[in-house]
């Protein structure tokens, strides 16, 4: 287990399900990505939060993940709640151009961060 996996939310006491380097996919929308950072609970702007339709807005008291994300058309950075992520077991590499800046290779289905970035 990494340090990220053992970080817990102050409100929930819940450990993050995913960690840096994990490849995940969104459970509703057609995109996937590799996690490059984890927030133990929501840590984005109120404007971002309010832009999510109320009927699908996740709770703030859960881990949120920063992803180098991709869909069929483009690559981008996404911020996603834990409840909306599933493991991506496709084995396909993530094509986002920033992956090579943070991760050195894939081992056992997980991207390995450069040693300088490890905590």
């Amino acid at each position: 287990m990494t340090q990220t996996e053992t970080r817990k939310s102050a409100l929930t006491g819940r450990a993050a399900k995913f960690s840096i380097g994990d490849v995940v996919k969104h459970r509703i929308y057609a995109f996937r990505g590799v996690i490059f950072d984890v927030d133990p609970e929501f840590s984005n702007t109120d404007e971002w939060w309010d832009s999510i339709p109320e009927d699908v807005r996740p709770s703030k008291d859960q881990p949120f993940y920063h992803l180098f994300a991709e869909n069929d058309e483009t690559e981008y950075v996404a911020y996603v709640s834990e409840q909306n992520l599933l493991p991506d077991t496709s084995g396909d590499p993530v094509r986002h151009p920033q992956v090579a800046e943070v991760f050195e290779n894939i081992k056992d289905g997980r991207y390995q961060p450069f040693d300088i970035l490890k905590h």
Side-chain angles (χ1 to χ4, degrees), residues 54-80:
E54 207 169 323
D55 60 329
V56 294
R57 194 177 294 155
S59 73
K60 289 183 176 182
D61 64 345
Q62 64 180 309
F64 277 73
Y65 300 86
H66 300 261
L67 310 177
F68 292 131
E70 63 187 29
N71 60 28
D72 288 340
E73 292 86 38
T74 190
E75 298 84 32
Y76 53 96
V77 172
Y79 191 65
V80 186

Side-chain angles (χ1 to χ4, degrees), residues 25-85:
K25 61 184 177 181
H26 198 280
R27 71 178 181 87
I28 298 170
Y29 302 110
F31 72 87
R32 61 190 293 269
V34 60
I35 296 169
F36 68 88
D37 197 12
V38 181
D39 293 335
E41 59 193 31
F42 179 79
S43 185
N44 206 332
T45 66
D46 288 334
E47 180 180 72
W48 183 91
W49 183 258
D50 292 336
S51 72
I52 302 169
E54 207 169 323
D55 60 329
V56 294
R57 194 177 294 155
S59 73
K60 289 183 176 182
D61 64 345
Q62 64 180 309
F64 277 73
Y65 300 86
H66 300 261
L67 310 177
F68 292 131
E70 63 187 29
N71 60 28
D72 288 340
E73 292 86 38
T74 190
E75 298 84 32
Y76 53 96
V77 172
Y79 191 65
V80 186
S81 65
E82 185 170 275
Q83 75 185 55
N84 284 319
L85 291 177

